[in-house]
Structure formats: C-alpha cells, structure tokens
Amino acid sequence: MCPPAYFDVKYVINPWMDATTPVDAELAVKQWDRLRETLIELGHRVHVLAPQVGLPDMVYAANGAFSVDSTVFGARFRYPQRAAEAAAHQAFYARLSSEEAPGEDAGGTRAGWRFVAPTEINEGEGDFTYVPGPGLILAGYGFRTEPAAHAEAQEVLARPVISLRLVDPRFYHLDMALAVLDDTTIAYYPGAFSASAQAVLRQLFPDAVVASESDALGFGLNLVSDGRNVVLSAEASDMAARLVAAGYLPRLVELTELKKGGGSVKCCVAELRG
Ligand code: ARG
C-alpha cells in the first residue's frame, strides 16, 4: 500500500475524476490508515511504498504490478501522468527480494521476487486478477490494458489468461467490476462486460456472486478478500448483504476521498502472491 500523502485530483483520466471537486487531504490519509489497520487486524502483513511528490495517483498501488508464484509482471501505464509509478514498484520488489532472505518471510518459503518488465501497456492488478483454485488469470481490456498484454502476461506468468472485454467506461479497470472472493469464487457485475465476456464468466463461474449496477457504482466490487473476510467500501451496503448471504464476513471501510480519484479498497492494495 502507498499512503495518499500527495493524493489530489488535478487531472482527469477516468469518469470519476473531477478536477474541480476539492479533496480533503487529511481525511484521505485517515481513511487510508483505517484501511491499513483493518488489514493488519485481519492478520495480514502490509508493506508500505514511499509516496512521491507529483504522483497523486500512487495511492492506487494495485496498478503498479501483478504477481503470481513470486514472478512480478511490471506495469506500463496508459497515461503519462502515472508512467513514473512503474519504476517505484519495480524498485519495491527489488528491495523486498534483498531484504527477505529465503525462509525469513512470515510465510517462511519466499525466495525472492523475479521481476519481468512489460512491453505492452498494462495496469497491473487494475486489469489482472488471479483465481488460485483453477490457477487462472482473469484479464480486462477495453480502456487501459492492451489485449496484447494479456498474451504477454501468459508468457511471463505461465498461467492461462482469460481475456474479458470491458464495455462501460465507468468500470475502466477489471477490478471495478470483478473480484476474487476465495480460491474458486468470484463476484462480478455483468453489465461491465461485453456479451461474450459475460458468457465466458457464466461458463467458468456458474456459482459466482452476481452484483448489481448499484453495487458496482458504490465500488462494492473493488474489494479485497482473504477467502473469508471481505474488506469493501462502506457505501456498498447491498453488496455487503450479498456477501453475508454467500457466507463471507464483510468489513466495511469509508474511502470517500479516494473515490474522487476513481478508486477504492482494491485499488489501494497490491497483493503479493509469493
Ligand atoms: N485515478 C486513477 C486512474 O485513473 C485511479 C486508479 C484506480 N485503481 C484501480 N485499481 N482501479 O488511473
């Protein structure tokens, strides 16, 4: 995670951003702290990436890379305003690899991270996610990540990549419309996807939690789950009820300020899959 020390909305690269709406910087940091504390309370280890002046979107740490089996596929951002974030993430994994000698990590098995730089445009976990059970990568395209990056990810990560076309600009990243809840279960909002992509999702995940448009608009799919506890935006109360019905334990957090940049819980958290 990367604290929103320099967070602001000064440019517009998605439909949620409005450069004339003021951001409460202090509240943004408070809300972010609460999200970080929530993850720690749930037993997770949170590494913190140093924020940089001039990179207001760096708080959306999920976009900087995508890792599976200790291989890190680096990001290449679509817009120049965020381009410099990629190098900060690369440096983070290099540092983590040198700090964490094999066996020293909490998990006890990590032997360092192999970083692979991308050729095509991809925005990390914004458009890539991993379903551990079947070992599948789900990948979005249409607004940010190039479809060619999906093939690249499959070569780098050696896992099958399922390409899904996003069709609604409000859900410009996959992580705005789809989330992995546990090893085999996903939640998604069908309307964000092309008809064919919806058919693919129905075929692969007949037991998915299907979210409504208002769940998605409340950023209720931009969540982080450990398989049982699901951390999501407090705004998404219908989604929380849906999760309870499906047997999960929702943990609601307020992220009103970061929503002004077009992101919520998931956008703030880059998951390290060692
Ligand atoms: N302002 C950022 C952008 O448009 C928000 C990124 C949100 N991150 C995410 N994982 N969806 O790039």
Side-chain angles (χ1 to χ4, degrees):
M1 295 180 70
C2 178
Y6 307 109
F7 173 68
D8 208 343
V9 180
K10 286 274 175 266
Y11 53 79
V12 174
I13 55 173
N14 72 56
W16 300 91
M17 299 175 89
D18 174 358
T20 63
T21 304
V23 169
D24 183 337
E26 215 173 291
L27 183 58
V29 172
K30 250 202 202 142
Q31 293 179 332
W32 181 90
D33 273 335
R34 193 61 211 114
L35 169 59
R36 181 170 161 272
E37 284 162 13
T38 300
L39 293 171
I40 292 169
E41 279 164 28
L42 291 172
H44 302 290
R45 182 173 174 200
V46 179
H47 299 273
V48 174
L49 184 62
Q52 290 179 29
V53 182
L55 295 176
D57 274 339
M58 219 177 148
V59 62
Y60 305 112
N63 304 142
F66 172 60
S67 64
V68 179
D69 306 329
S70 300
T71 294
V72 182
F73 182 42
R76 191 173 155 213
F77 286 83
R78 163 132 337 243
Y79 297 110
Q81 292 95 329
R82 299 195 67 187
E85 294 179 38
H89 284 266
Q90 181 170 359
F92 168 81
Y93 288 99
R95 200 166 56 243
L96 198 60
S97 297
S98 61
E99 279 169 8
E100 282 182 353
E104 261 183 20
D105 181 65
T109 51
R110 191 162 295 156
W113 299 84
R114 181 176 75 99
F115 185 91
V116 181
T119 306
E120 308 292 339
I121 290 169
N122 87 78
E123 296 199 346
E125 290 198 311
D127 277 319
F128 286 115
T129 193
Y130 185 62
V131 193
L136 286 182
I137 293 169
L138 305 182
Y141 72 97
F143 298 102
R144 298 290 181 90
T145 296
E146 286 292 339
H150 295 184
E152 205 184 348
Q154 181 165 294
E155 279 304 304
V156 169
L157 299 166
R159 296 282 180 178
V161 174
I162 306 293
S163 282
L164 302 164
R165 185 156 78 89
L166 295 163
V167 296
D168 184 331
R170 297 171 300 174
F171 312 113
Y172 57 92
H173 272 146
L174 181 71
D175 72 2
M176 301 285 292
L178 183 149
V180 176
L181 294 173
D182 61 29
D183 280 0
T184 52
T185 314
I186 66 163
Y188 69 103
Y189 166 53
F193 297 91
S194 70
S196 298
Q198 290 179 35
V200 168
L201 289 169
R202 277 197 305 272
Q203 181 189 324
L204 290 175
F205 302 101
D207 302 322
V209 174
V210 175
S212 69
E213 182 181 41
S214 77
D215 291 330
L217 289 173
F219 285 42
L221 288 157
N222 197 249
L223 59 78
V224 170
S225 174
D226 60 16
R228 182 167 167 72
N229 304 286
V230 181
V231 185
L232 78 163
S233 165
E235 217 184 297
S237 49
D238 291 355
M239 185 62 198
R242 243 182 258 287
L243 290 167
V244 170
Y248 299 92
L249 295 172
R251 289 284 298 245
L252 300 178
V253 291
E254 298 274 358
L255 282 178
T256 57
E257 297 316 289
L258 295 179
K259 190 183 183 192
K260 296 172 183 173
S264 193
V265 175
K266 173 58 214 169
C267 303
C268 293
V269 181
E271 290 167 62
L272 306 183
R273 294 180 196 81

